[in-house]
Amino acid sequence: MKAVKVGLLGLGTVGGGTATVLKRNAKEIARRAGRGIEIDFIATLEPERAAELGVENIRLTKDAYEVVNDPDIDIVVELIGGYSPAKELVMQALENGKHVVTANKALIAIHGDEIFAKAQEKGLVVAFEPAVAGGIPIIKALREGLSANSVEWLAGIINGTGNFILTEMRDKGRDFDDVLAEAQALGYAEADPTFDVEGIDAAHKLSILSSIAFGIPLQFDKTYTEGISKITQEDVAYAEELGYRIKHLGVAKRTDKGIEQRVHPTLIPERRLIANVDGVMNAVLVKGDAVGATLYYGAGAGDEATASAVIADIVDVTRALTTDPENRVPHLAFQPDALSDTPVVGMDDIETAYYLRMSAKNEAGVLAEVTRVLGQQGISIEAFIQKEPRKGETDVDIILLTHVVNEGNMNSALEQIAALDVINGEATRIRVESLS
Amino acid sequence: MKAVKVGLLGLGTVGGGTATVLKRNAKEIARRAGRGIEIDFIATLEPERAAELGVENIRLTKDAYEVVNDPDIDIVVELIGGYSPAKELVMQALENGKHVVTANKALIAIHGDEIFAKAQEKGLVVAFEPAVAGGIPIIKALREGLSANSVEWLAGIINGTGNFILTEMRDKGRDFDDVLAEAQALGYAEADPTFDVEGIDAAHKLSILSSIAFGIPLQFDKTYTEGISKITQEDVAYAEELGYRIKHLGVAKRTDKGIEQRVHPTLIPERRLIANVDGVMNAVLVKGDAVGATLYYGAGAGDEATASAVIADIVDVTRALTTDPENRVPHLAFQPDALSDTPVVGMDDIETAYYLRMSAKNEAGVLAEVTRVLGQQGISIEAFIQKEPRKGETDVDIILLTHVVNEGNMNSALEQIAALDVINGEATRIRVESLS
């Protein structure tokens, strides 16, 4: 059978990894796919990089549209990132009748519905396994492997930089700023780390996972997003003392009110497998009504790990070339005319347990006042730590774990607690998920 | 689109789960598959069970051939288990032009090559995700999700009964026989537990995983199989003291000499994620050259968990109905004419590290004699524990961890150690894998 011709847009980290792995494993991949897969044309602003990578006999251009418009190309692989010109290039590739593979989570999270509609109209596939959790085949697992299930919830560590920072804070007792600086030096975190540490990158990925899990349109704008930059060394240590680990989780959950879709620091019981996913590694825990809990773990970033997902998608698309379009796996797992309008619920309506840390005056009756306020909102306490004042200080730390409660009630309680004379400033609040 | 009609052979645990989940999640599954999936005909020797399960308006028969020969049936789902008549029924279904889904690991491990050849000849699909690790989509992950990779090795906890027994032995300090009896009472273990605790069930599954990972024919007969019935409470405790957990692993590894394919009790460093997979849960760790280490975790058995994989396969086959047969995912991941003849290596040629426990006379110079024998075989020691004699006893336990060595050399060393006057009987030997 004729080899499939791939056009690569971008020869950065993932593009370089894709070229390297496709070359090294060419025979093995062809033994699986039943035909050769060849990179035929690469768009890159640094053509000298092709030589560095040992990429030979492949046409190069600085104009990505040349690749997208080339009649010989069967599949366009978009590895440029960002919204523009990535979106225009993908739309043009589809217009030209080419299948697309992309690693671009931001593009899919924001413009996915429009891109998939165009692909649908043209009878084409847009594959995006590398957009979520790097090399872990989580899109495939959720979309195909668990197709029998009504998904109850999923929870993922889907940003390696954030997980590296939290792991170092716990293992070595280091501070957030200190570890972030190291992550930047190591190349894990960007110069502007906002996307990673403030949870925007994770929210892009979570909105994709949520859509696939529950059969709803992509709704990044309704995803609650809270970063890890306010997590202190004390919180990490207190969590440990209570038998928990703090992880930056993306959580999507089906409830009676709709779909909860939220990214935030989360306490997880230390015995859960996902609580032990450390360093830059990613993992996604999926609870299906039939299968129960399943977990998928691996490298969430990196040149060859992400390339693994890019190439798996190229092989999938290669197989799809001869499939009746109506019988292909739908982009968002559910048929486009069968997506549901179940709403994404606002944060006031979610329910979860909470870790609270507050600084209080070292006086009798403080705890009574705090518990009275919580009790008025129907919030009961599961565990409690009160520390002696540190040397030379008169204030004490009070740490509470609550039972599951409505977040609106918790917000009211926190406002009232902040207004108490015996409490200094506002309480730190971190959500707690049992994941059972 | 017309609903797909499924014929079910067997209405036991997995058959019942399949009927229940297909009914409960019918709408959600159809929203994914793009058409309805209906059980149309069930073969069972206990027709009263259909009523118990709330299965209505479905034809029932006690003769499985009636289902296999029924012209209305598109997909035959074989959930009878065992070799015969399961094999004859599957072959007849293929002869009749029907796609097949099976949960039968023994059938695939032993007769897979013949069954797949027949399917190939007829342009049909035989899907077998439920045959390995229950609801975990590990076949799909390995065959499709990791198709870019040259797999270096995989290691799996793929028998829930064995893992339950080892977990209880560690958590509660119980003995093997005691926990086995409980597992039988709980229904985890069969009345004849040989298949589970002696590793035969795991070896069936491992030979399937190995074939898919490395592109070699199924070779159950060349799989080394060692059970857990000789693991003692002492071994579990000593392993813990050394920072390890004992797990019953299936290991398949690509080496210069060929493919290692072996099931045996194994010490794993306790910090590895897979060392913390407890109870009846299963997990498979796969190391690819591009993606690195990935792990897949979930329930390895149970009615609805296994049904999850059965139904995912039905949905996959439904999509395959309109695919050009040459472009479908090959049964064993690699195209049938592209399987390799890389040999499965004999156990004398494998290389691994070892845990050794021996009972010795409490005399000076014992350790010197043991290390001399090991040294002669080129075996060096990584860690060492010597216990004081227990109250009223004069013998002592010596526990050694070795570096990686050839198993043939270890066998020679063990023979010589057993012949030493200062050593009582034979040493217990458990293999050690770092899984890094």
Side-chain angles (χ1 to χ4, degrees):
Chain A
M1 220 180 294
K2 193 168 135 291
V4 168
K5 290 195 188 294
V6 172
L8 217 58
L9 311 184
L11 199 58
T13 304
V14 179
T18 301
T20 303
V21 174
L22 263 179
K23 187 177 171 188
R24 184 176 70 225
N25 293 345
K27 281 187 195 163
E28 200 152 348
I29 294 167
R31 285 171 59 209
R32 292 189 177 99
R35 57 203 289 189
I37 291 171
E38 289 172 9
I39 300 180
D40 186 52
F41 205 174
I42 300 176
T44 172
L45 298 177
E46 301 171 279
E48 64 282 6
R49 205 169 130 70
E52 283 166 34
L53 288 162
V55 166
E56 287 156 14
N57 303 319
I58 296 178
R59 291 180 291 154
L60 298 173
T61 176
K62 291 189 177 180
D63 177 6
Y65 281 96
E66 277 195 38
V67 175
V68 160
N69 291 326
D70 189 290
D72 283 350
I73 297 299
D74 301 305
I75 302 172
V76 169
V77 177
E78 185 276 302
L79 302 172
I80 298 174
Y83 303 114
S84 184
K87 185 188 167 196
E88 293 77 10
L89 287 162
V90 165
M91 295 301 276
Q92 186 64 45
L94 294 170
E95 194 57 47
N96 292 344
K98 297 180 195 311
H99 299 279
V100 172
V101 173
T102 177
N104 192 332
K105 59 219 77 166
L107 179 69
I108 295 298
I110 304 295
H111 299 295
D113 291 328
E114 184 185 347
I115 289 168
F116 299 148
K118 169 63 85 176
Q120 189 75 13
E121 175 200 324
K122 292 284 189 172
L124 295 165
V125 177
V126 175
F128 52 94
E129 182 68 80
V132 181
I136 308 172
I138 182 63
I139 300 287
K140 182 173 283 285
L142 201 48
R143 198 163 65 170
E144 304 172 39
L146 302 184
S147 61
N149 291 265
S150 177
V151 175
E152 297 175 0
W153 53 261
L154 61 85
I157 296 172
I158 45 182
N159 182 279
T161 307
N163 202 40
F164 172 78
I165 292 173
L166 291 173
T167 302
E168 289 286 303
M169 286 176 73
R170 185 179 73 83
D171 279 1
K172 302 183 184 154
R174 298 168 65 187
D175 284 329
F176 176 84
D177 292 331
D178 176 31
V179 187
L180 175 60
E182 187 197 344
Q184 287 172 315
L186 287 170
Y188 293 158
E190 307 288 334
D192 174 3
T194 313
F195 259 50
D196 289 324
V197 303
E198 295 306 338
I200 301 162
D201 174 75
H204 283 143
K205 295 166 183 166
L206 181 71
S207 62
I208 297 172
L209 291 175
S210 179
S211 175
I212 289 175
F214 302 116
I216 57 173
L218 291 156
Q219 289 161 86
F220 167 74
D221 57 326
K222 292 187 181 149
T223 307
Y224 172 79
T225 305
E226 181 182 319
I228 55 170
S229 53
K230 288 176 193 150
I231 300 294
T232 67
Q233 184 49 45
E234 286 72 39
D235 293 321
V236 172
Y238 289 140
E240 188 100 5
E241 200 172 329
L242 290 159
Y244 289 79
R245 302 267 166 86
I246 300 181
K247 292 292 181 189
H248 201 189
L249 279 197
V251 176
K253 188 185 285 186
R254 190 198 301 264
T255 74
D256 290 343
K257 294 175 187 157
I259 308 294
E260 296 183 3
Q261 210 166 286
R262 45 191 169 94
V263 173
H264 51 69
T266 315
L267 273 75
I268 310 172
E270 65 189 0
R271 281 183 64 99
R272 298 275 178 274
L273 212 53
I274 195 171
N276 295 285
V277 170
D278 287 334
V280 296
M281 301 305 281
N282 283 18
V284 182
L285 183 58
V286 182
K287 177 84 185 295
D289 70 334
V291 76
T294 57
L295 180 127
Y296 309 85
Y297 161 92
D303 51 357
E304 294 203 0
T306 309
S308 172
V310 170
I311 297 167
D313 269 357
I314 296 174
V315 174
D316 269 13
V317 172
T318 298
R319 297 194 199 291
L321 295 176
T322 69
T323 315
D324 162 12
E326 305 209 340
N327 269 317
R328 291 184 193 143
V329 182
H331 289 107
L332 292 177
F334 294 76
Q335 301 291 335
D337 58 1
L339 293 184
S340 102
D341 56 3
T342 311
V344 174
V345 299
M347 279 305 276
D348 271 1
D349 284 330
I350 75 148
E351 295 205 332
T352 186
Y354 296 86
Y355 158 101
L356 303 178
R357 173 172 58 81
M358 53 198 88
S359 169
K361 300 206 166 66
N362 192 15
E363 295 173 6
V366 170
L367 191 64
E369 287 206 53
V370 171
T371 52
R372 179 185 51 79
V373 169
L374 292 172
Q376 280 170 354
Q377 296 292 337
I379 302 168
S380 59
I381 294 171
E382 156 128 10
F384 164 75
I385 304 176
Q386 180 165 345
K387 292 289 178 185
E388 290 300 302
R390 293 197 194 91
K391 220 172 185 175
E393 292 185 11
T394 55
D395 294 335
V396 295
D397 273 356
I398 295 178
I399 298 95
L400 299 172
L401 278 189
T402 75
H403 285 284
V404 171
V405 61
N406 181 284
E407 176 135 327
N409 291 27
M410 177 53 75
N411 288 339
S412 304
L414 287 175
E415 267 180 45
Q416 292 172 51
I417 287 172
L420 292 175
D421 287 340
V422 293
I423 298 294
N424 306 309
E426 298 199 343
T428 292
R429 169 256 306 276
I430 308 177
R431 297 172 189 84
V432 181
E433 294 288 342
S434 70
L435 302 183
S436 61
Chain B
M1 222 180 295
K2 194 168 134 288
V4 168
K5 289 191 186 296
V6 173
L8 217 57
L9 310 184
L11 199 58
T13 304
V14 179
T18 301
T20 303
V21 175
L22 263 179
K23 187 176 170 187
R24 184 176 71 225
N25 292 345
K27 280 188 196 162
E28 199 151 350
I29 293 167
R31 285 172 59 209
R32 291 190 177 99
R35 56 205 286 190
I37 292 170
E38 289 172 9
I39 299 180
D40 186 52
F41 205 174
I42 300 176
T44 173
L45 297 177
E46 302 171 279
E48 64 282 6
R49 206 170 128 68
E52 284 166 31
L53 288 163
V55 166
E56 287 156 13
N57 302 321
I58 297 179
R59 292 179 290 156
L60 298 173
T61 175
K62 291 189 178 181
D63 177 5
Y65 281 96
E66 276 195 39
V67 175
V68 160
N69 292 326
D70 189 289
D72 284 349
I73 297 299
D74 301 304
I75 302 172
V76 168
V77 177
E78 184 276 303
L79 302 172
I80 298 174
Y83 304 114
S84 185
K87 184 188 167 195
E88 294 77 9
L89 287 162
V90 165
M91 295 302 275
Q92 187 63 44
L94 294 170
E95 194 58 47
N96 292 345
K98 297 182 196 311
H99 298 280
V100 172
V101 173
T102 177
N104 192 331
K105 59 219 77 168
L107 180 69
I108 295 297
I110 304 295
H111 299 295
D113 291 328
E114 184 184 348
I115 289 167
F116 299 147
K118 169 62 85 177
Q120 188 75 13
E121 176 200 325
K122 291 284 190 173
L124 295 164
V125 176
V126 175
F128 51 95
E129 182 69 80
V132 181
I136 308 173
I138 181 63
I139 301 287
K140 182 172 283 286
L142 201 49
R143 199 163 64 171
E144 303 172 40
L146 303 183
S147 61
N149 290 267
S150 176
V151 176
E152 296 176 1
W153 52 262
L154 62 85
I157 296 172
I158 45 181
N159 182 278
T161 307
N163 202 40
F164 172 79
I165 292 173
L166 290 173
T167 302
E168 289 286 302
M169 287 176 74
R170 184 179 74 84
D171 279 0
K172 302 183 184 154
R174 297 169 66 188
D175 284 327
F176 175 84
D177 292 330
D178 176 30
V179 186
L180 176 59
E182 186 197 345
Q184 286 172 315
L186 287 170
Y188 294 158
E190 307 288 333
D192 174 2
T194 313
F195 259 51
D196 288 324
V197 302
E198 295 306 339
I200 301 161
D201 174 74
H204 282 143
K205 295 167 184 166
L206 182 70
S207 61
I208 296 172
L209 291 176
S210 179
S211 176
I212 289 175
F214 302 116
I216 57 173
L218 291 156
Q219 289 163 86
F220 168 74
D221 57 326
K222 292 185 182 149
T223 307
Y224 173 79
T225 306
E226 182 182 319
I228 55 170
S229 54
K230 288 176 192 150
I231 301 292
T232 67
Q233 184 48 46
E234 285 73 37
D235 293 321
V236 172
Y238 289 141
E240 187 100 4
E241 200 172 327
L242 291 160
Y244 290 79
R245 303 266 167 86
I246 300 180
K247 292 292 181 187
H248 201 189
L249 280 196
V251 176
K253 188 184 286 185
R254 190 198 300 263
T255 73
D256 291 343
K257 293 173 186 158
I259 307 294
E260 296 183 3
Q261 210 166 287
R262 45 193 170 92
V263 173
H264 51 69
T266 314
L267 272 75
I268 310 173
E270 66 190 0
R271 281 184 64 99
R272 299 273 178 276
L273 211 55
I274 196 171
N276 295 285
V277 170
D278 288 333
V280 296
M281 301 306 279
N282 282 17
V284 181
L285 183 59
V286 182
K287 176 84 185 292
D289 69 335
V291 76
T294 57
L295 180 128
Y296 309 86
Y297 161 93
D303 52 358
E304 293 203 1
T306 309
S308 172
V310 170
I311 297 167
D313 269 357
I314 295 173
V315 174
D316 269 12
V317 171
T318 298
R319 296 194 198 290
L321 295 176
T322 69
T323 315
D324 162 13
E326 306 208 341
N327 269 318
R328 290 183 194 143
V329 182
H331 289 106
L332 293 177
F334 294 76
Q335 300 292 335
D337 58 2
L339 293 184
S340 101
D341 56 2
T342 310
V344 174
V345 300
M347 278 303 276
D348 271 2
D349 284 330
I350 75 148
E351 294 205 332
T352 185
Y354 296 86
Y355 157 101
L356 303 178
R357 173 173 56 81
M358 54 199 86
S359 168
K361 299 204 168 65
N362 190 15
E363 294 175 6
V366 170
L367 191 64
E369 287 205 53
V370 171
T371 52
R372 179 183 52 78
V373 169
L374 292 172
Q376 280 169 356
Q377 295 293 337
I379 301 169
S380 58
I381 293 171
E382 156 129 12
F384 163 75
I385 304 177
Q386 180 164 345
K387 293 289 178 185
E388 290 299 302
R390 292 197 194 88
K391 219 173 186 174
E393 291 185 11
T394 56
D395 294 336
V396 295
D397 273 356
I398 295 178
I399 297 95
L400 299 172
L401 279 189
T402 76
H403 285 284
V404 170
V405 61
N406 181 283
E407 176 134 330
N409 291 27
M410 178 53 76
N411 289 338
S412 303
L414 287 175
E415 266 180 46
Q416 291 172 50
I417 287 172
L420 293 175
D421 286 342
V422 292
I423 298 294
N424 306 308
E426 298 198 342
T428 291
R429 168 257 306 276
I430 308 178
R431 296 172 189 85
V432 181
E433 294 287 345
S434 69
L435 302 183
S436 61

